[in-house]
Amino acid sequence: MANALPIPDGLVPLLLALIGGVLAQAAWVALVLARRQRPADQRVLAVPAAAAMTLAAVLTALVLLVGAANH
């Protein structure tokens, strides 16, 4: 979408970060809902899921920073 519309170059990283933030918030809400619906003995899996989501957020931020630095 960012390449299809004429968007100023300085705005692209901000828009992509905004979209990434919305997706991360949706993933967090889904994780919380899934955790509430799971039995207590299976809640150990929430730690790896939260770690994976945090790692994905960090990697996304790094890609955006590197992309902004290269422009």
Side-chain angles (χ1 to χ4, degrees):
M1 213 43 209
N3 292 331
L5 299 172
I7 299 173
D9 288 338
L11 215 60
V12 172
L14 294 174
L15 290 174
L16 291 175
L18 178 70
I19 292 168
V22 169
L23 290 174
Q25 184 67 28
W28 182 257
V29 169
L31 183 63
V32 168
L33 288 175
R35 184 175 167 206
R36 287 182 187 169
Q37 294 176 357
R38 189 177 21 210
D41 60 343
Q42 294 181 354
R43 291 201 177 168
V44 178
L45 296 177
V47 173
M53 192 170 74
T54 302
L55 180 62
V58 168
L59 288 175
T60 302
L62 285 174
V63 167
L64 287 173
L65 287 174
V66 168
N70 287 337
H71 282 340

